[in-house]
Amino acid sequence: MTERTTGRTVLLRGGVVHSPADPFATALAVTGDRVAWVGSEAAADALAPTADETVDLAGALVTPAFTDAHVHTTAAGLALTGLDLGGAPALAAALERVRAHAAASAPGAVLTGHGWDSTAWPGQRPPTRAELDAAAEGRPLYLSRVDAHSALVTTALLDLVPGARHLPGYDPEGPLTGDAHHAVRRAADAALAPAQRADAQRAARARAAALGIGTLHECAGPDISSEEDLASLLALAADEPGPRVVGYWAGLVTSAKEAEAVRDLGAVGAAGDLFADGSLGSHTAHLREPYADAPHTGTAHLGPEEIAAHVTACTEAGLQAGFHAIGDAAVTAVTDGFLAAAERLGTARVRALRHRVEHAEFLTDAALAVFADLALTASVQPAFDAAWGGPDGMYARRLGPGRAARLNPFAALLRAGVPLAFGSDAPVTPLDPWGALRAAAHHRTPAHRIAVRAAFTAHTRGGWRAAGRDDGGVLVPGAPADYAVWRTGDLVVQAPDDRVARWSTDPRSGTPGLPALDPGSPLPVCLRTVVAGRTVYERPNE
């Protein structure tokens, strides 16, 4: 969203302002689209006569707005407005949702849905194509798995995609993966009417704003959405109030001309979901050793040479590069590629572009060292561990408990000095920033837990830094006026475990407090979200 400076001054006072500029601040002044001042009630008295508006916070907490560093906006909106199979308890319930959606949809439309996960269903099997054909009344239907790396489709949709039955990843009965999946996903995206696409994008941005999210990193690409989708989203975000949208395009770049084409799309990087592999849930993440529940090691989409060529071309063009990598073999291929690029161009040039890796779930010690050495941003999703971690979770079924316990090592990444940016990968997991902080602080593997304040930084300032900006995600004078106001309980300074020195959690240390995020406790309620000084959400009757 384009920032606008109006010169109008708003003074917020009588609350708690989370700011490193003053850990005891109770007031905040915003002029135009920038933070002008942070301080105490006594100083606010002097500012009040000249403010154009004064807001009584009534004890509410003010924080920087969150940044969700990995989102698929249209898909997230479609899940909000249409067919969402998330939480379906069994196969029969999922099929009933499909039937109801088909009956309520306009004749002739291609149906889309998201979120099925048969691992939790009795029998653990997805619907057959014949069952889906019947439930969808013979209509074209694209139904992505919860991880979005495989999909179920009806016969009618396959008939719209010539050659899909002959592509790698095609299955005559089960979920499609790989090239076959990408082909039917492109067909489903192309079938969206412009109004349906815009409605979905508005729904996702509205949900984000209501959760105190001020910025979304849209991870678009030829295998996951379309140029049309990215262009329409960026145009909508520029024209309508709501969270900012930072666009990424997951296209391979091998020349300056291709790098310029990425910029022409409005993207800030050739990154995001540029797939080095797939996902653990779909058995397509690329592993060094076979899955515990399947006799193979997943799928490699890119090798070190292709990765090195992409990083080299992007770096020479001054364009941020990045990849999707989940399995240990895929992450190693990515780090090997970055090392090769650094050998050609020099470490300093590679570090300067703040290249990023999405998910980075299964890191070897050697890969982690490369992340630290080359200043690669780890764009990670704590909700993945909350959903699939633990000794009885999907990760343990796919990898066995030993390997599963190594996933999502947030504490090790922080100790190594790796920049973190938190996101949701919505619609894979819901937009839920405070839930993500809780998931990081209460990681199912205790050794990977981090302090809430470190998680908060990763979900606010970390997202701005991941997009190449150092001025946002923090409430200090001169910063963009992106903030959220919260109703919450007592504020505390939480440590991940007893190894942290107790002085750091003592109020006398001057460390700004944050809401208590103990499991089961209520999460903060967003009262207002402001982006570039403009209110984009206000809770009704508050």
Side-chain angles (χ1 to χ4, degrees), residues 267-320:
V268 302
D273 275 332
L274 181 49
F275 297 124
D277 68 344
S279 72
L280 290 165
S282 290
H283 289 104
T284 53
H286 189 205
L287 306 177
R288 300 169 76 179
E289 301 293 335
Y291 283 85
D293 61 350
H296 60 79
T297 58
T299 306
H301 294 303
L302 295 172
E305 297 80 11
E306 294 169 291
I307 291 164
H310 178 79
V311 174
T312 298
C314 287
T315 303
E316 289 178 332
L319 184 69
Q320 190 180 33

Side-chain angles (χ1 to χ4, degrees), residues 446-458:
H448 300 332
R449 293 173 181 171
I450 62 175
V452 169
R453 61 183 181 277
F456 182 80
T457 298

Side-chain angles (χ1 to χ4, degrees), residues 43-467:
D45 287 338
L47 290 174
T50 59
D52 297 288
E53 179 185 358
T54 298
V55 176
D56 180 5
L57 294 170
L61 171 68
V62 183
T63 71
F66 287 105
T67 292
D68 192 310
H70 191 120
V71 174
H72 306 287
T73 308
T74 302
L78 289 171
L80 290 169
T81 59
L83 176 55
D84 183 4
L85 297 186
L91 172 59
L95 289 171
E96 181 54 39
R97 292 190 194 182
V98 172
R99 277 190 287 270
H101 182 70
S105 298
V110 173
L111 307 179
T112 63
H114 172 76
W116 64 270
D117 183 1
S118 59
T119 61
W121 296 347
Q124 298 189 346
R125 76 165 179 90
T128 65
R129 188 153 299 141
E131 288 172 328
L132 274 186
D133 287 346
E137 301 176 351
R139 298 173 62 177
L141 168 67
Y142 169 84
L143 202 57
S144 58
R145 191 184 182 278
V146 64
D147 58 13
H149 283 270
S150 60
L152 298 163
V153 298
T154 55
T155 302
L157 182 60
L158 280 172
D159 291 342
L160 297 177
V161 188
R165 292 176 173 87
H166 305 291
L167 292 174
Y170 174 75
D171 188 299
E173 280 298 327
L176 307 188
T177 61
D179 292 345
H181 175 218
H182 295 158
V184 296
R185 179 157 53 187
R186 282 192 290 271
D189 177 80
L192 288 177
Q196 184 183 10
R197 190 185 303 276
D199 286 347
Q201 292 168 351
R202 290 188 181 102
R205 293 180 76 230
R207 174 64 64 87
L211 294 169
I213 298 170
T215 301
L216 301 170
H217 290 191
E218 167 65 18
C219 292
D223 289 330
I224 201 161
S225 57
S226 64
E227 292 184 7
E228 176 190 5
D229 187 74
L230 177 60
S232 65
L233 174 62
L234 293 177
L236 184 142
D239 292 342
E240 299 182 6
R244 305 167 187 267
V245 176
V246 177
Y248 285 91
W249 181 253
L252 271 177
V253 169
T254 59
S255 66
K257 182 178 180 180
E258 290 174 343
E260 191 59 31
V262 171
R263 288 194 175 96
D264 288 344
L265 292 174
V268 302
D273 275 332
L274 181 49
F275 297 124
D277 68 344
S279 72
L280 290 165
S282 290
H283 289 104
T284 53
H286 189 205
L287 306 177
R288 300 169 76 179
E289 301 293 335
Y291 283 85
D293 61 350
H296 60 79
T297 58
T299 306
H301 294 303
L302 295 172
E305 297 80 11
E306 294 169 291
I307 291 164
H310 178 79
V311 174
T312 298
C314 287
T315 303
E316 289 178 332
L319 184 69
Q320 190 180 33
F323 303 90
H324 160 119
I326 286 179
D328 53 351
V331 174
T332 297
V334 166
T335 52
D336 285 349
F338 272 108
L339 283 173
E343 288 177 4
R344 298 174 194 172
L345 302 173
T347 298
R349 288 185 70 186
V350 173
R351 288 176 61 94
L353 268 295
R354 300 186 186 182
H355 302 304
R356 52 192 284 175
V357 181
E358 309 301 313
H359 316 308
E361 291 199 71
F362 196 171
L363 291 97
T364 64
D365 291 342
L368 194 151
V370 175
F371 270 68
D373 186 47
L374 298 183
L376 305 179
T377 295
S379 172
V380 295
Q381 295 74 39
F384 285 10
D385 177 73
W388 303 310
D392 301 319
M394 181 270 288
Y395 289 153
R397 291 194 292 274
R398 293 289 185 267
L399 302 178
R403 285 189 295 174
R406 296 172 56 190
L407 296 182
N408 301 299
F410 305 142
L413 286 162
L414 281 180
R415 284 194 301 270
V418 175
L420 293 185
F422 278 2
S424 64
D425 200 7
V428 175
T429 60
L431 299 164
D432 181 14
W434 288 110
L437 267 59
R438 177 152 63 192
H442 298 279
H443 198 295
R444 292 177 182 272
T445 302
H448 300 332
R449 293 173 181 171
I450 62 175
V452 169
R453 61 183 181 277
F456 182 80
T457 298
H459 222 334
T460 50
R461 198 169 194 180
W464 283 77
R465 288 173 166 171

